[in-house]
Amino acid sequence: MLAKKYNDLEFPCPLGPIIKAYIAEKRSLGGKGNTEAKRLRSFSKMWYAQDLADELTEDAVKRWISPRPTDAPATIRNRVAIIRGLGKFMQRQGYKAYCPDRSCVRKLPRHGYDPHIFTYREVLRFMESAESYASGPYCGKWSRLIVPLIFRMLYCTGMRAGEVVALEVADVDLAANVITVRDAKFGKTRYVPIHDELAGTIREYVSLRKPERYLFPSPREGHYGQHSLYEPFRKILFKAGIPHRGRGFGPRIHDFRHTFAVHSMMKWAMSGHDMATAMPRIAAYLGHKDVSETEWYLHLTIRIAPRLGGMLNSEFGKIFPREFQHDKQ
């Protein structure tokens, strides 16, 4: 149903048919095209409002990719990447189109947000507060069951919030303790093994809620909304005594994924396992395209647990010298 929403988007500018053709090409190659559709809808509305020329001009592109005061570096990079994709598509089709150079984002920091890695005590306080929140007057009938379980799954699996709320009952094999994440980021499907304790909690929830299609059904049509988690997340943080610095400054819900990755690396390292074999496993579990995406978590792990730095640096220093030298300073 989410894909249908993006399939139905209209682009109110002269390039509307070309934008639709570009998104159709992305989907024919296995991508969702939803991010492109959403962003280019915004671009199309800007174009229409300003009555720009009937081509992808340098002026139009630069107006759209210029940073807004609230933009994170990742948002700017995303806009540039999408408009470059559209420009290259148009050039292949014989249209005149301007493609911004990557140099316009080269100086932006790779990560504009410093994630909050929850301590083990903070995780425990948060989960206890989530159970307490679920018994309070602000939680709906089924949210009392759904909210605590979703947050538990986020920390215990490292899944993205959008992946958890979109799970179907058929995706959760409680006999084998394996969750199938279908059509995730980059259009990938992966298998996520889960602990017996988490499987038992899910089993108990299913016996009470009796969901039919979606594991976390919405009171309306479809599944529980990802954005519905923000308000309870803030309230649970407050109950747990974990300061929140405001929207955009965190902690964020997505920080449970970062915390899972860092805590996993810490456990592997402290147990004496070979981190060279741990890295590909963690990357596959998280659904990363390749191990290089998991590199960032090595950086965070050393920052959180400096005593592990020497060991990790000896194993990975030759592969990621700049990042690890920076951490040692």
Side-chain angles (χ1 to χ4, degrees):
M1 286 183 299
L2 187 63
K4 184 177 185 301
K5 178 177 75 173
Y6 291 117
N7 285 338
D8 292 340
L9 286 181
E10 295 295 331
F11 305 93
C13 77
L15 293 183
I18 299 175
I19 293 174
K20 282 191 171 183
Y22 168 59
I23 294 169
E25 181 186 79
K26 296 285 290 186
R27 288 172 175 156
S28 70
L29 296 173
K32 289 183 179 181
N34 294 343
T35 301
E36 288 82 357
K38 183 168 63 173
R39 293 289 189 186
L40 290 174
R41 164 73 171 175
S42 167
F43 176 65
S44 178
K45 289 167 71 174
M46 181 211 74
W47 190 305
Y48 181 81
Q50 298 183 14
D51 193 27
L52 301 175
D54 191 9
E55 62 183 57
L56 193 62
T57 63
E58 180 177 355
D59 178 63
V61 169
K62 287 187 173 179
R63 286 194 203 186
W64 190 61
I65 66 175
S66 59
R68 284 66 155 170
T70 57
D71 279 346
T75 303
I76 303 169
R77 290 179 184 278
N78 183 263
R79 280 205 301 268
V80 171
I82 288 175
I83 207 67
R84 275 175 58 83
L86 176 63
K88 289 182 177 180
F89 171 79
M90 291 179 64
Q91 290 174 355
R92 291 197 304 272
Q93 303 298 318
Y95 294 98
K96 183 178 179 181
Y98 171 76
C99 282
D101 190 84
R102 284 197 180 94
S103 62
C104 64
V105 294
R106 196 164 290 153
K107 293 183 179 180
L108 293 173
R110 184 174 178 81
H111 298 283
Y113 169 81
D114 194 14
H116 178 86
I117 305 302
F118 291 89
T119 65
Y120 288 109
R121 289 185 178 181
E122 285 179 334
V123 171
L124 181 60
R125 293 206 312 269
F126 184 94
M127 297 306 168
E128 289 175 344
S129 298
E131 297 293 341
S132 173
Y133 167 82
S135 63
Y138 304 107
C139 210
K141 178 182 177 182
W142 294 119
S143 294
R144 299 173 190 273
L145 298 175
I146 291 175
V147 169
L149 179 55
I150 287 179
F151 286 125
R152 189 176 296 274
M153 291 178 68
L154 290 175
Y155 171 67
C156 292
T157 68
M159 292 170 61
R160 302 174 180 92
E163 294 171 346
V164 172
V165 297
L167 284 173
E168 298 190 12
V169 175
D171 297 330
V172 185
D173 185 344
L174 294 175
N177 288 4
V178 174
I179 293 174
T180 302
V181 181
R182 304 183 189 278
D183 200 22
K185 192 173 182 180
F186 311 116
K188 298 174 65 176
T189 294
R190 72 182 190 279
Y191 300 103
V192 178
I194 59 176
H195 192 274
D196 290 341
E197 186 176 341
L198 179 59
T201 304
I202 298 174
R203 192 177 294 110
E204 182 180 356
Y205 159 78
V206 170
S207 68
L208 293 171
R209 180 66 176 89
K210 295 180 173 58
E212 295 180 359
R213 179 183 176 184
Y214 291 107
L215 185 63
F216 301 113
S218 168
R220 297 170 291 279
E221 187 180 7
H223 57 71
Y224 204 82
Q226 179 178 343
H227 296 294
S228 301
L229 295 172
Y230 182 72
E231 183 178 354
F233 177 68
R234 289 286 303 274
K235 290 179 178 178
I236 294 169
L237 282 175
F238 180 77
K239 287 178 66 69
I242 302 171
H244 190 281
R245 294 174 291 162
R247 188 184 290 272
F249 296 96
R252 305 174 305 171
I253 293 173
H254 197 65
D255 288 339
F256 279 121
R257 178 172 168 85
H258 300 320
T259 300
F260 168 84
V262 170
H263 284 187
S264 296
M265 286 192 176
M266 290 173 65
K267 287 179 181 178
W268 276 83
M270 289 188 292
S271 63
H273 283 84
D274 180 5
M275 290 302 294
T277 62
M279 285 281 287
R281 295 184 184 187
I282 294 173
Y285 197 92
L286 291 170
H288 288 164
K289 287 190 295 185
D290 53 59
V291 177
S292 65
E293 293 187 30
T294 318
E295 163 200 341
W296 186 46
Y297 292 117
L298 283 170
H299 179 93
L300 290 176
T301 302
I302 290 179
R303 188 190 308 173
I304 299 300
R307 67 182 184 279
L308 300 177
M311 181 188 65
L312 294 176
N313 187 58
S314 66
E315 293 196 46
F316 296 101
K318 293 180 180 179
I319 303 175
F320 311 123
R322 283 178 297 178
E323 286 79 4
F324 283 85
Q325 288 169 8
H326 172 75
D327 278 316
K328 292 174 71 178
Q329 291 177 354

